[in-house]
Amino acid sequence: GGLMMAIAVGLTVLFFALKAKKGLVSAGGGGDAELVQTDYNFALRKPPEPWAPDTDLKIKLGVNVAAYHRPGPDAWAAVGVSDYGRRNPGFADLQRRATDQLHKVFDELPDKLDAEPAEWAGHPARVCKFRGTYRATGDACFGVCYLLAHQGVGYWFLGWTPETTADAGTAELEAVRAGLRVLNHRAGWAEQAADSRSFRDKAGTYRVTDYERLWEKPTRKEPTDEDPKA
């Protein structure tokens, strides 16, 4: 009995140690009121009732942090993060990812969302405002998408509310977004320039250099498929 108890205690300690290492359990507080992820260098204050986790939305969007919904006024919010290591992601990269996620749950969205300078969590960011039809309810909605790149981590916030209650719903969304703060677990972080790569045409007559490694060569497709002279 004593041996089994010791094993159980050891496994419990190991479980929480691994969880903390992954940033899923706060090592510095937060408790039930705050989600702390040290690996991604942020903390997110959980919105109070009537906000509630929306697991179905989280899965549909493909975000890895959280998704929430509240009634009266209806509003939906989601947060996603991605670790880019020793480089800061470009806003175009984050914008493309957020747009792809929104297209999973919205109709009548533009292919590309226009971004404007903004501030989020005390750092320079970008904001995209959009309108579209939310498939789950059929409502025409107004939404915002905030993008932040800081010390090798990309953060994005997606939020929307029916246009009929846009004023009250937008205030609720802003309260959720303001609950994210950047931590200080990457104090020694320094950006390393990405290795550039070059693309050449088959004849070797020209070369295009991609210094930020943002472009990918399409598979099973040639430039002439787009334009015979390409």
Side-chain angles (χ1 to χ4, degrees):
L3 177 60
M4 294 300 295
M5 179 64 72
I7 292 174
V9 171
L11 290 175
T12 301
V13 171
L14 177 62
F15 171 78
F16 281 102
L18 291 174
K19 294 277 277 185
K21 184 178 180 181
K22 291 182 178 180
L24 301 178
V25 174
S26 168
D32 294 335
E34 192 173 53
L35 171 66
V36 179
Q37 293 197 357
T38 56
D39 279 1
Y40 293 109
N41 204 33
F42 80 96
L44 176 66
R45 184 174 65 248
K46 298 177 183 178
E49 294 182 351
W51 285 99
D54 191 333
T55 304
D56 184 57
L57 177 61
K58 183 180 179 182
I59 294 172
K60 286 181 178 178
L61 285 174
V63 294
N64 58 352
V65 177
Y68 301 100
H69 169 246
R70 62 155 291 144
D74 270 323
W76 293 264
V79 177
V81 299
S82 185
D83 189 349
Y84 290 79
R86 282 293 180 178
R87 76 173 182 90
N88 260 332
F91 284 114
D93 189 13
L94 298 177
Q95 185 177 357
R96 184 166 51 249
R97 177 175 293 199
T99 303
D100 289 344
Q101 290 176 328
L102 287 173
H103 273 280
K104 296 177 181 178
V105 296
F106 271 92
D107 291 322
E108 301 175 2
L109 278 181
D111 292 335
K112 181 180 179 182
L113 303 180
D114 294 330
E116 301 175 357
E119 184 179 291
W120 185 20
H123 299 281
R126 295 288 189 277
V127 60
C128 308
K129 299 178 181 179
F130 64 90
R131 281 180 166 82
T133 302
Y134 185 37
R135 291 185 198 135
T137 63
D139 290 327
C141 292
F142 167 77
V144 291
C145 170
Y146 276 81
L147 312 170
L148 170 64
H150 181 65
Q151 293 185 334
V153 180
Y155 309 86
W156 56 98
F157 170 87
L158 309 173
W160 60 91
T161 184
E163 289 190 335
T164 54
T165 55
D167 290 341
T170 300
E172 295 291 344
L173 293 175
E174 286 300 298
V176 179
R177 181 180 69 85
L180 184 137
R181 61 188 177 93
V182 175
L183 303 178
N184 194 33
H185 290 278
R186 296 193 174 195
W189 185 89
E191 185 168 14
Q192 295 178 353
D195 294 332
S196 63
R197 57 185 167 189
S198 297
F199 300 99
R200 298 176 181 270
D201 68 318
K202 289 184 177 180
T205 55
Y206 69 85
R207 179 181 65 188
V208 177
T209 302
D210 177 14
Y211 290 99
E212 298 185 25
R213 300 181 71 89
L214 296 177
W215 293 87
E216 296 288 346
K217 201 169 184 179
T219 57
R220 299 183 300 277
K221 196 170 186 180
E222 294 296 330
T224 51
D225 295 337
E226 295 291 335
D227 186 332
K229 296 182 180 180

